[in-house]
Amino acid sequence: MGLLQGATEFLPVSSSGHLVLVPWLLGWPNPGLAFDSVLHLGTLLAVLAYMRAEIVVVIAGWWRSVRRRTLDSPEERLGWLIVVSAIPGAILGFFLEDYFEALFASPRSAALLLLVTGALLVASERLGRRDRCLHQAGLRDAVWIGLAQALAIAPGISRSGATIAGGLLRGLRREDAARFSFLIVIPIIAGAAGLQLAKLVNTGINASQSTNLLVGFVAAFVVGYAAIGFLLGYLRTRTLRPFAFYCWGFGVLSLAITYIR
């Protein structure tokens, strides 16, 4: 599960969809809220470690913007764009939490939404101009990509796939769209995992599961770190279409099995 979370959180194939479908296909029991939270913290640490230099620059720029009340530099603007992009997901997750939780109990819904992810990736490759860098992004881009990220709360809609596709449709280059996708996931994962861990305060964490939690955390971190580097390098010269074909293949297979079972 840690390997799965680490790879699929950043590759545009839907980590939530895989975390619903793979255990269901293999007959694994639900690992529980604590385990899910720890896996997400592993991928959060991976993106913080890989993009640490860029994150420091963005935070410094954002804080400078707050103190001086200016938006003079690209780093200052990027910091605020990250904040804006997190708002749609926070609002949608707050008001539709029960609806999205119900989707996580439906393998068929996850399989169907994987097909949607594949369509988004292909459409963005066909329609995107890919002639703008990240420093040229503006408020409309942040809102558009933030809405794409909000829809990805549903299992099967890839968060990285939806946000990268949203960036391409707004004219961003592939690598720049991916970098923005990885930056805006930080507040989302931190908020979601933090909320889950806060809920566990009342129930506590089973000490006997500490080894499993540690192994899952390390696996998610290591594979997540490698997945970020792989995807950024891959998108410099290649398209998202192979990931779309994978989503379609895995989605159709899983959908067929839901009817067979």
Side-chain angles (χ1 to χ4, degrees):
M1 292 290 283
L3 297 174
L4 194 64
Q5 168 67 18
T8 57
E9 178 63 49
F10 301 110
L11 299 182
V13 294
S14 180
S15 62
S16 58
H18 280 74
L19 293 177
V20 169
L21 289 168
V22 171
W24 177 77
L25 289 170
L26 299 179
W28 294 350
N30 188 334
L33 183 61
F35 192 70
D36 181 70
S37 301
V38 168
L39 292 188
H40 279 83
L41 289 176
T43 50
L44 174 62
L45 182 61
V47 71
L48 290 174
Y50 192 94
M51 305 191 72
R52 58 191 180 277
E54 192 166 352
I55 292 169
V56 168
V57 171
V58 171
I59 292 175
W62 178 82
W63 181 242
R64 186 169 59 249
S65 172
V66 172
R67 287 189 297 107
R68 298 179 181 178
R69 299 182 181 180
T70 61
L71 289 172
D72 295 334
S73 70
E75 292 77 18
E76 292 174 356
R77 292 191 294 272
L78 182 57
W80 283 110
L81 294 182
I82 292 171
V83 173
V84 169
S85 69
I87 294 174
I91 294 173
L92 201 62
F94 179 79
F95 286 105
L96 298 178
E97 180 180 4
D98 293 340
Y99 173 74
F100 286 118
E101 284 184 355
L103 288 179
F104 276 87
S106 173
R108 185 169 296 169
S109 296
L112 285 169
L113 291 175
L114 273 177
L115 305 183
V116 175
T117 292
L120 284 174
L121 298 179
V122 169
S124 67
E125 283 289 349
R126 179 168 296 182
L127 301 175
R129 300 189 313 273
R130 301 186 297 277
D131 57 1
R132 300 168 62 210
C133 67
L134 185 54
H135 287 164
Q136 294 175 299
L139 182 61
R140 290 183 181 178
D141 303 308
V143 172
W144 175 264
I145 297 171
L147 289 171
Q149 181 166 249
L151 294 176
I153 299 175
I157 299 293
S158 168
R159 192 212 60 82
S160 62
T163 51
I164 293 173
L168 294 182
L169 291 172
R170 292 295 300 172
L172 294 179
R173 297 178 303 195
R174 292 191 191 93
E175 186 181 358
D176 290 276
R179 284 191 171 277
F180 190 63
S181 171
F182 297 153
L183 288 171
I184 66 175
V185 76
I186 295 172
I188 292 295
I189 294 182
L195 181 61
Q196 290 176 346
L197 291 174
K199 291 179 179 179
L200 289 172
V201 171
N202 295 328
T203 59
I205 298 176
N206 189 347
S208 64
Q209 295 296 311
S210 58
T211 300
N212 287 344
L213 293 173
L214 177 62
V215 171
F217 175 85
V218 172
F221 167 72
V222 172
V223 177
Y225 189 94
I228 295 172
F230 164 77
L231 189 62
L232 288 176
Y234 174 92
L235 291 178
R236 290 191 184 102
T237 57
R238 299 172 187 171
T239 75
L240 293 168
R241 289 189 180 89
F243 298 105
F245 297 148
Y246 170 82
C247 289
W248 286 336
F250 186 47
V252 168
L253 175 64
S254 300
L255 188 61
I257 293 175
T258 66
Y259 284 101
I260 294 172
R261 285 189 177 179

